Amino acid sequence: MNREFPEKLTVILLLAAVCLCIFGAATGEMEDVFIKAVNICMECIGLG
Amino acid sequence: MAKHLRKIIQAGWGLLSNAYVRGFLPGQPFIYSGALKHFCVPGMNCYSCPGALGACPVGALQAVLAGRQRKFPAYVLGYLAAVGLLAGRFICGWLCLFGLIQELLYKIPLPKITIPERVDRPLRYLKYAVLLVLVVGLPLLYRSEYGAGDPFFCKYLCPVGTLEAGVPLVLMNDMLRPALGWLFRWKMLLLIVCILASILIYRPFCKYICPLGAFYSLFRKMSLVRMHVDTDACINCGACSKICGMRVDPHLAPNSAECIRCGECMRVCPVNALSFARAAGKQEKAAVH
């Protein structure tokens, strides 16, 4: 029996993921991402 | 047109997410520093690429985990989970510039390699190990004497950063060249291996290494965009399996962890038995037909 994952549950999980995202943004995590992303990442380019 | 639609979207997205032209001008190393960098793009795209307008989700995840404050990465994980639940590995097939680059390299007319299944199958799990160890584990656990962690995947393995950021920044900026050392040479070696492998094998980075593909594959059976096979219509001709570069059998496992939802199988199916479906019983014919 190969039952498919219910779409309603996906939507509930999606809402939970969005809430998690908003919580993270509210606690200042977006600023952490921003600071990392606007400075040249020396590790990424192989210098640091 | 339908045959090239995906390539057009991949290229268009790649250009759009790296549209900061000023970053490509020679002189001082300069990358975009506007408000869009608060947001992650859905695919692999180094945020130090001179043209990048958004943040790389894998880099962002490591940056938060490796931070001095040891925050739970709610924003990045929530974002990745939301993208995974919406589209899963559809992102890999349609909105990843590095995926497109590998596909174009594979078009170079040289003999192709088929990795034996006994090697291919266990190697596919490598990307999950990369995700667990290099993206989550080590950035979370390791701390230098100054209290900062390291983005291990970006630093030691990621060829995307080398190609999209390292090479252009070093080529355009004299002042970066004296700083080049063993790490840059190591990453260049990995990039060259990745490029050569991509000429011979279809999307090897996506198959074996990519931690983002590994993460999105966790949502393969629950994402809103998923594959559906009409078993009544399927004539088991094998055309879908034959065309699949990721070596999936779409008529047997339409939501395999390896399926990047590229839609090639739907295009070649002679009886239109395969489609993108939102959920059970609600199949919608895809635009690639």
Side-chain angles (χ1 to χ4, degrees), chain B residues 58-128:
Chain B
V58 176
L61 181 59
Q62 290 169 92
V64 178
L65 288 170
R68 283 188 170 82
Q69 296 171 302
R70 289 183 185 268
K71 280 184 187 171
F72 174 73
Y75 166 61
V76 184
L77 274 184
Y79 169 80
L80 286 173
V83 174
L85 286 161
L86 275 173
R89 289 196 80 181
F90 179 87
I91 300 298
C92 308
W94 293 76
L95 298 178
C96 181
L97 178 60
F98 199 64
L100 171 65
I101 291 167
Q102 290 173 84
E103 286 179 18
L104 295 177
L105 286 167
Y106 191 69
K107 285 190 179 294
I108 294 173
L110 282 173
K112 305 302 172 190
I113 293 175
T114 303
I115 306 283
E117 197 166 327
R118 67 179 187 282
V119 179
D120 177 75
R121 195 170 283 263
L123 267 183
R124 301 277 180 143
Y125 291 102
L126 187 58
K127 57 183 174 288
Y128 298 99

Side-chain angles (χ1 to χ4, degrees), chain B:
Chain B
M1 178 65 183
K3 189 180 176 185
H4 301 295
L5 176 67
R6 190 170 68 90
K7 290 277 184 293
I8 293 166
I9 291 174
Q10 284 174 296
W13 178 256
L15 288 172
L16 188 69
S17 48
N18 293 284
Y20 186 64
V21 179
R22 194 180 159 196
F24 291 103
L25 300 177
Q28 293 289 314
F30 197 76
I31 60 173
Y32 172 71
S33 57
L36 287 175
K37 280 270 175 87
H38 283 96
F39 304 97
C40 296
V41 291
M44 293 286 285
N45 198 112
C46 185
Y47 37 37
S48 289
C49 171
L53 293 176
C56 170
V58 176
L61 181 59
Q62 290 169 92
V64 178
L65 288 170
R68 283 188 170 82
Q69 296 171 302
R70 289 183 185 268
K71 280 184 187 171
F72 174 73
Y75 166 61
V76 184
L77 274 184
Y79 169 80
L80 286 173
V83 174
L85 286 161
L86 275 173
R89 289 196 80 181
F90 179 87
I91 300 298
C92 308
W94 293 76
L95 298 178
C96 181
L97 178 60
F98 199 64
L100 171 65
I101 291 167
Q102 290 173 84
E103 286 179 18
L104 295 177
L105 286 167
Y106 191 69
K107 285 190 179 294
I108 294 173
L110 282 173
K112 305 302 172 190
I113 293 175
T114 303
I115 306 283
E117 197 166 327
R118 67 179 187 282
V119 179
D120 177 75
R121 195 170 283 263
L123 267 183
R124 301 277 180 143
Y125 291 102
L126 187 58
K127 57 183 174 288
Y128 298 99
V130 170
L131 173 65
L132 276 177
V133 177
L134 294 181
V135 175
V136 178
L138 289 173
L140 183 66
L141 298 174
Y142 169 80
R143 285 293 178 274
S144 72
E145 56 188 303
Y146 305 108
D150 250 347
F152 277 82
F153 173 72
C154 295
K155 187 170 180 177
Y156 297 108
L157 196 58
C158 182
V160 185
T162 317
L163 179 68
E164 294 180 358
V167 171
L169 285 172
V170 166
L171 283 177
M172 293 187 304
N173 302 287
D174 297 339
M175 59 181 286
L176 289 177
R177 283 177 214 153
L180 301 182
W182 70 269
L183 186 59
F184 187 79
R185 287 195 288 276
W186 164 249
K187 292 200 72 181
M188 280 303 296
L189 176 68
L190 289 179
L191 175 61
I192 291 165
V193 169
C194 188
I195 288 171
L196 293 176
S198 301
I199 295 170
L200 306 172
I201 304 165
Y202 184 78
R203 295 180 73 141
F205 178 78
C206 311
K207 281 178 180 166
Y208 307 122
I209 307 292
C210 183
L212 192 55
F215 187 85
Y216 287 152
S217 78
L218 302 176
F219 300 93
R220 63 190 177 274
K221 290 187 176 170
M222 54 180 101
S223 67
L224 290 180
V225 177
R226 61 184 98 162
M227 295 288 292
H228 178 80
V229 56
D230 182 347
T231 47
D232 294 332
C234 178
I235 55 172
N236 290 304
C237 65
C240 53
S241 309
K242 207 172 171 182
I243 195 82
C244 182
M246 297 302 283
R247 296 175 71 182
V248 172
D249 287 324
H251 66 301
L252 299 175
N255 290 302
S256 158
E258 300 303 322
C259 174
I260 56 170
R261 313 282 199 263
C262 66
E264 283 298 302
C265 53
M266 295 191 294
R267 195 174 58 77
V268 299
C269 180
V271 292
N272 293 339
L274 290 153
S275 60
F276 284 137
R278 265 185 54 225
K282 290 184 183 175
Q283 60 171 305
E284 293 171 356
K285 294 295 176 193
V288 291
H289 278 302

Side-chain angles (χ1 to χ4, degrees), chain A residues 4-5 7 10-11 13-14 17-18 20-21 23-25 27-34 36-48, chain B residues 29 31 33-34 37-39 47-48 63 71-76 78 82 85 154-155 161 165-166 180 183-184 187 221-222 226 278-280 282:
Chain A
E4 289 199 32
F5 195 83
E7 190 181 34
T10 299
V11 173
L13 288 172
L14 186 58
V18 171
L20 190 64
C21 198
F23 171 77
T27 55
E29 196 185 323
M30 275 179 103
E31 283 307 309
D32 298 339
V33 171
F34 178 74
K36 181 70 181 173
V38 297
N39 292 294
I40 292 176
C41 169
M42 290 300 175
E43 296 94 343
C44 303
I45 67 174
L47 293 184
Chain B
I31 60 173
S33 57
K37 280 270 175 87
H38 283 96
F39 304 97
Y47 37 37
S48 289
K71 280 184 187 171
F72 174 73
Y75 166 61
V76 184
L85 286 161
C154 295
K155 187 170 180 177
L180 301 182
L183 186 59
F184 187 79
K187 292 200 72 181
K221 290 187 176 170
M222 54 180 101
R226 61 184 98 162
R278 265 185 54 225
K282 290 184 183 175

